[in-house]
Amino acid sequence: MAARSSSSPAKTTTTLALLLVVAAAAAAVAAEAAAVAADAARGVRQVNRRGPYLGVVVPNGFEMEPLLRSPAFSPAKKLPYLDVAGRRFRFGSIGEKKVIIVMTGLGMLNSGVTTQLLLTLFDVEGIVHFGIAGNADPDLHIGDVTVPRYWAHTGLWNWQRYGDGPEKELALESNGDYTRKYGALNFSDYGVAGGGGGNLLNGVWYQPEEVFPADGTPESRRHEFWVPVDGRYYQLAQKLEAMPLERCVNRTGTATSPATCLARAPAVARVERGCSASVFVDNAAYRQFLRSRLGVTPIDMESAAVALVAAQQGAPFIAIRSLSDLAGGGSAESNEAGVFAALAAQNAVAVAVKPRCLTCPVDQARQAPDNTQAVTRPIYQKTAAACDPGFQTLVSMGRSGPNS
């Protein structure tokens, strides 16, 4: 005869509940470990206890090195960096402001993923992104540092079939998936003999990105082509337009390695638009198209991805891009990027670490385009006057971009 259990129903229920709690806690720990290793997760929590931080996002090592060597940057002593998901997040301060510096790697995918990791893991109140870029504006010169007001991703296309003209509706356009508002790049316009004879490549229309705001309704999209930087950051950049910048490579020079200097001293310029795509543009015809049709100045491979992720997360953002070459050639300076990339990177760093008030957060609401739902992000309140006497807190601009 089997022995009867002495456990009461109440005791059994209590034991089961305790097991469920333990199992849930173990599942939560396992889920965290699956996303971020346990030691990294501890490091993230340790870092965030000292937040908030300004995120500094840099594309490549040669663009980041001048910042790490700059006397303006002081690495943290206890935890100088943390490696997560193939990225190294460096901690320290620029002046009195605590910063997290991270290198993205080349292209839109890398820069978008890295920016999302930064904003997901850490207590970040705003993003400053800097690097070098090709130049589409012949009125500016190598070494000049540009601060665009809007960024667009120019690598999302609807490639129209051969025989269809600009008056022909695109496939799925009626569903709201595609538009003929931006572009169009017609390949027959660029025939060597003057074009006009048709081309099997036909043409492409540039498309806005789908954006899903973090504080909006899940899976409810909106479209953005021109993504604005933070209005206060952009206004503050006006104060940088008179700052001196380096004009010579190897300034000291020697008999065997003479200094190479630009024809004029570079300057900081706030401009209206920049664009990005995972394409290295070294083509004069395409550069001229981007300039004439979209009015862009810097052309790079990362900034728009950082801007789009910041827009989705509601994080204040600005990009600083120093011009290393006239994309496609034709400038007065010889050798261009091969000689002046390091100089351009140094000038970008000089501008990025100069504006102390970019690190002064203020409460603000950023208006969504087309008067849709506003995107907001809690920003730690601090008056800008604490950084710059006489500075007036600015109302950030709307998210609707300029007409094309």
Side-chain angles (χ1 to χ4, degrees), residues 59 63 129 131-133 144-146 151 300 302-303 320-323:
E63 294 162 308
H129 172 65
I132 68 172
D144 287 348
V145 177
T146 62
W151 284 93
D300 69 38
E302 296 86 18
S303 295
I320 297 164
R321 285 287 182 160
S322 184
L323 306 177

Side-chain angles (χ1 to χ4, degrees), residues 278-301:
S278 291
V279 177
F280 185 90
V281 177
D282 192 22
N283 183 279
Y286 188 56
R287 174 197 76 215
Q288 290 162 4
F289 168 82
L290 290 174
R291 178 64 184 172
S292 62
R293 190 62 60 89
L294 299 179
V296 302
T297 298
I299 304 170
D300 69 38
M301 302 175 69

